[in-house]
Amino acid sequence: MMIVFKKVVVILLFSIEFSCSSMIDLTQKWIPNAGWEVDCLWTLVENDELQSVRLYNNGQQFFIYRPEINGTSKSEYYRTRAWDVRCRETSEKGVTGACVVSAELIKPPQDFNFTCEVSGERPTFRIETKSILVSASVPPSDAHISVATMDSESGRVTLNCTSSGLPSPTLIWTIGAQRVPPDFSSSAWNYTTKVYDAWSAVSYSWADAGLPATCTPETHRRGRTTPAAPAQYSGARGGAGERDLVALVLAVAALL
Ligand SMILES: *[C@@H]1O[C@H](CO)[C@@H](O)[C@H](O)[C@H]1NC(C)=O
Ligand SMILES: *[C@@H]1O[C@H](CO)[C@@H](O)[C@H](O)[C@H]1NC(C)=O
Ligand SMILES: *[C@@H]1O[C@H](CO)[C@@H](O)[C@H](O)[C@H]1NC(C)=O
Ligand SMILES: *[C@@H]1O[C@H](CO)[C@@H](O)[C@H](O)[C@H]1NC(C)=O
């Protein structure tokens, strides 16, 4: 009987605590060709009023919105960081509202620790704070292989594999089951997409080997590997034509 009673008390305390505290929902998402969008949505306790919203970058306050002074919304653009901040109330007295921060990716992209602090009105000035670590990383795009050069006499091809991401994707080549180093590889920051475009070229005598070439993109960051879908070249014009089949049969026959 005693145990049951204790449980009820605990649950009661829990729900009181919950309903008395305001809430912040802080999220991040990557928008192609733009950068990061960080959203801070708040909900105060019902009878409270919004006193202020403060935004911090790596612990440093850079923005404050006070409805008393600024009215129902405030926007600001930060040229040096290419950040656009828009905060607004979405209900009476700012009981609910949102700040949307569009952080354009600029080179070199850096992680940032973003904090949203929402304060209620006097006398309690109930403060709720939430932080999010925005990681300057974008998964690699799926690999794409194009034929850069092809000598139909010798059957020698130069393949070019591309992928985009942040940090710059590494492109891994395998011919058959054998991993091979690229002949050339390079990457460049794309000012439109705000990610790195990487490419890697490999030459081999397709007719001799009769083996498909596979390119797999990967990004490496803080010991974590993020792969993307590989692309495969399996012969002339990318398809497994009749000539490919003959070569494959010959290759298999040679193995036997
Ligand atoms: C982010 O900043 C907040 C406030 O300055 C701090 O409490 C938190 O530990 C920081 N988080 C990370 C991952 O650095
Ligand atoms: C908002 O208030 C701040 C003071 O907190 C003031 O410096 C700023 O000019 C105001 N901006 C607008 C758009 O009202
Ligand atoms: C591979 O493709 C990239 C991007 O289109 C291009 O810049 C590069 O010159 C190409 N490399 C070769 C060897 O064709
Ligand atoms: C940047 O990426 C876009 C979209 O993939 C592409 O069309 C454009 O050519 C790239 N810019 C450069 C300089 O490579």
Side-chain angles (χ1 to χ4, degrees):
M1 198 59 199
M2 198 59 195
I3 293 165
V4 171
F5 180 69
K6 265 189 188 164
K7 264 190 189 163
V8 168
V9 169
V10 167
I11 289 165
L12 262 175
L13 281 174
F14 232 54
S15 51
I16 287 169
E17 166 93 278
F18 195 70
S19 65
C20 278
S21 69
S22 50
M23 284 191 310
I24 291 183
D25 188 18
L26 189 59
T27 55
Q28 63 172 82
K29 59 173 179 263
W30 185 67
I31 316 263
N33 302 342
W36 289 107
E37 183 180 306
V38 181
D39 293 334
C40 174
L41 274 68
W42 68 83
T43 307
L44 305 177
V45 295
E46 250 175 73
N47 52 358
D48 207 347
E49 260 179 68
L50 180 67
Q51 196 269 341
S52 66
V53 179
R54 290 160 202 264
L55 304 178
Y56 301 79
N57 177 21
N58 296 329
Q60 291 248 320
Q61 183 186 313
F62 68 95
F63 179 94
I64 180 165
Y65 165 47
R66 291 191 60 196
E68 198 178 65
I69 299 163
N70 299 119
T72 57
S73 70
K74 183 181 174 181
S75 302
E76 206 159 330
Y77 183 73
Y78 297 86
R79 197 173 297 275
T80 50
R81 280 193 219 110
W83 281 22
D84 182 58
V85 183
R86 288 157 196 277
C87 291
R88 67 189 175 96
E89 298 179 344
T90 53
S91 70
E92 203 62 23
K93 294 178 175 174
V95 172
T96 60
C99 286
V100 176
V101 179
S102 304
E104 191 179 306
L105 278 181
I106 47 174
K107 192 188 168 185
Q110 275 166 357
D111 293 353
F112 57 93
N113 178 3
F114 188 88
T115 305
C116 184
E117 183 184 280
V118 178
S119 176
E121 263 298 354
R122 47 183 82 81
T124 36
F125 294 109
R126 221 186 305 266
I127 292 177
E128 181 87 357
T129 300
K130 245 190 199 157
S131 292
I132 198 168
L133 189 69
V134 180
S135 166
S137 61
V138 175
S141 61
D142 293 348
H144 178 79
I145 293 179
S146 61
V147 178
T149 65
M150 174 160 193
D151 185 79
S152 48
E153 286 284 302
S154 64
R156 197 165 176 81
V157 289
T158 300
L159 304 177
N160 191 1
C161 178
T162 54
S163 170
S164 304
L166 187 68
S168 184
T170 303
L171 300 164
I172 297 161
W173 285 103
T174 54
I175 293 176
Q178 183 69 43
R179 185 168 167 170
V180 296
D183 297 325
F184 295 103
S185 58
S186 180
S187 88
W189 176 255
N190 187 316
Y191 286 93
T192 308
T193 56
K194 328 274 190 228
V195 291
Y196 286 97
D197 289 336
W199 65 268
S200 172
V202 86
S203 296
Y204 78 113
S205 191
W206 184 83
D208 290 349
L211 295 168
T214 307
C215 168
T216 310
E218 276 181 7
T219 51
H220 304 273
R221 200 180 137 82
R222 301 196 170 171
R224 254 190 55 203
T225 298
T226 311
Q232 194 174 67
Y233 172 81
S234 55
R237 286 170 207 96
E242 210 167 68
R243 204 185 126 220
D244 308 3
L245 212 64
V246 171
L248 199 68
V249 169
L250 286 177
V252 171
L255 281 175
L256 297 171

